[in-house]
Amino acid sequence: MNKLVVLGSVNADHVLQVASFPRPGETLHGHSYSVIPGGKGANQAVAAARLGADIAFIASVGDDSFGHQMIEAFKFDGINTEGVMIEENTPTGIAMIQVAATGENSICISAEANARLTADRIAPHHGLIEAADTLLMQLETPIKTIEKAAQIAKAAGTKVVLNPAPAHQLSDDLLQLVDMITPNETEAELLTGIEVTDMASAQQAADALHVKGIETVMITLGSKGVWISQEGKGRQVEGFRVQATDTTGAGDTFNGAFLTGLQSGRKLDDAIKFAHAAAAISVTRMGAQTSIPSITEVERFLLEHH
C-alpha cells in the first residue's frame, strides 16, 4: 500500500495576470488568462508524486471534462487514484485567481465537488489511510471529513500531518489527533492568538500548539524559511532567496516536498531544505501544479545553492 495518503481538494484555477488588484468598483484590464489544475490537496499530492513519493490521493472531482482530465493527469504523475471520486451533476471546485505584477495573488474559491467529500464518502477508502505511514490534509474540504480521517489514522498508527490552510478555527479535539502541523504566520496566529512577528513569537505560538497535544510544529515564514519546534525546542531553518513570479501553490509544494523528503529517508532539516528548494523553484514559474518541479530539478538546485 502507499506510504503517503493525501486527502484534500481539487480545483480548476482560473488565472488572470493583472498589473495591480482592482479597488471596489474598478475595472482593470488583465492578460494571459489560463485554466490551471489546482486545489491545495491536489497540489500537495502532485508535488509529492513528482518528487518521488509513494502516494495515494483521496478527493472528489466533478463529472465535468476538467474532473475527468484531472484523474488522468494524477495517474500520469504516478498517483494512486482509487480514492478520487467523481460526483454526478456537480462541477469540479474552482478558484478565481488574480496575480499582480509583484507576484502576489488574490484568490476566491468555490468548493463545488470538494464539498461532497463527506465523512460517509471516504468510508470505502479507510483502508488507504490505515495502511499508510502518513496522512496529509488541508482545510479546503469539510471539517467533519478531516476529523474522521484523523481518527482513522490515529487508531491505525498512521502519522497525521495537517496544513491548516486556508486559515480556520480548529477544535482542540481535532488538534489532539495531529502529530505535525504546518501553519504559516497568519494561520498560526488564528490557531493560538499569538501574532508571529519574529522567531521568539514563532516559538510562543509553537508552544501553544504543543500544549494542545501536537508533537511537531513547523511555522512557515515566507522568505525567512521555517521555525521548527519539537518538545518545546525550536530553531530556524532558512530558505532560499529567489525572484518570485507567482507564489500560487508554493506552500503546497513545500508540504508535499517535505513529506516526500522524510519518506525518502532524509533527516528532518534536510527534508526541510529539500522542500525549501522545491518551493523556491515553484515561485519562479506561473501557476500551481504547472510550477511544481521534478526531483532532478530540485537536486540540481540544491547542488547550485549548496
Side-chain angles (χ1 to χ4, degrees):
M1 294 299 278
N2 304 95
K3 288 184 185 174
L4 174 64
V5 172
V6 176
L7 184 150
S9 54
V10 180
N11 288 334
D13 287 355
H14 294 258
V15 184
L16 188 66
Q17 307 290 321
V18 292
S20 59
F21 301 129
R23 294 188 298 272
E26 183 181 21
T27 300
L28 294 178
H29 284 280
H31 62 91
S32 309
Y33 169 73
S34 56
V35 183
I36 297 173
K40 285 192 167 298
N43 296 345
Q44 293 179 12
V46 168
R50 282 191 197 158
L51 295 167
D54 173 22
I55 176 178
F57 187 29
I58 300 173
S60 287
V61 298
D63 60 354
D64 48 15
S65 59
F66 189 86
H68 290 280
Q69 285 166 14
M70 286 313 304
I71 292 175
E72 293 310 309
F74 295 148
K75 287 178 183 170
F76 180 80
D77 275 318
I79 296 169
N80 173 354
T81 59
E82 68 182 77
V84 182
M85 297 165 279
I86 295 172
E87 306 300 333
E88 291 184 3
N89 304 316
T90 307
T92 301
I94 65 160
M96 311 299 282
I97 303 177
Q98 294 175 346
V99 181
T102 58
E104 288 182 302
N105 57 45
S106 169
I107 307 175
C108 294
I109 62 175
S110 181
E112 307 299 340
N114 295 314
R116 303 282 187 94
L117 192 69
T118 61
D120 289 343
R121 282 295 269 146
I122 68 164
H125 307 298
H126 288 181
L128 284 174
I129 297 169
E130 289 165 345
D133 293 339
T134 309
L135 170 67
L136 170 61
M137 299 186 286
Q138 330 72 35
L139 301 176
E140 286 183 344
T141 50
I143 201 78
K144 293 281 185 218
T145 312
I146 292 162
E147 288 169 352
K148 181 65 177 173
Q151 288 164 1
I152 293 156
K154 202 71 172 174
T158 299
K159 192 173 180 182
V160 178
V161 181
L162 181 64
N163 172 225
H168 201 291
Q169 291 283 1
L170 298 174
S171 71
D172 286 353
D173 288 347
L174 172 57
L175 293 174
Q176 281 169 4
L177 298 168
V178 173
D179 296 292
M180 176 185 286
I181 197 162
T182 63
N184 64 18
E185 298 114 313
T186 310
E187 293 146 8
E189 182 180 353
L190 184 73
L191 291 171
T192 65
I194 296 162
E195 187 181 359
V196 177
T197 55
D198 55 17
M199 302 309 152
S201 52
Q203 186 59 48
Q204 287 176 324
D207 288 340
L209 290 165
H210 289 318
V211 168
K212 293 179 188 292
I214 301 172
E215 185 183 324
T216 305
V217 178
M218 184 158 60
I219 300 174
T220 57
L221 305 166
S223 62
K224 299 191 198 86
V226 303
W227 185 262
I228 177 93
S229 178
Q230 291 175 302
E231 296 171 3
K233 291 195 180 77
R235 63 190 179 282
Q236 181 186 11
V237 181
E238 291 189 22
F240 301 97
R241 291 187 183 275
V242 293
Q243 187 64 46
T245 302
D246 178 11
T247 57
T248 309
D252 298 329
T253 299
F254 179 91
N255 277 273
F258 170 65
L259 291 178
T260 304
L262 287 181
Q263 191 185 96
S264 66
R266 293 174 189 266
K267 294 213 162 35
L268 187 65
D269 284 29
D270 287 342
I272 293 171
K273 282 282 186 192
F274 179 75
H276 278 326
I281 295 168
S282 79
V283 302
T284 65
R285 302 169 175 176
M286 294 305 301
Q289 285 159 48
T290 47
S291 71
I292 296 169
S294 67
I295 188 163
T296 311
E297 290 173 311
V298 174
E299 286 172 343
R300 189 186 309 132
F301 182 96
L302 285 166
L303 281 172
E304 289 169 357
H305 295 78
H306 190 58

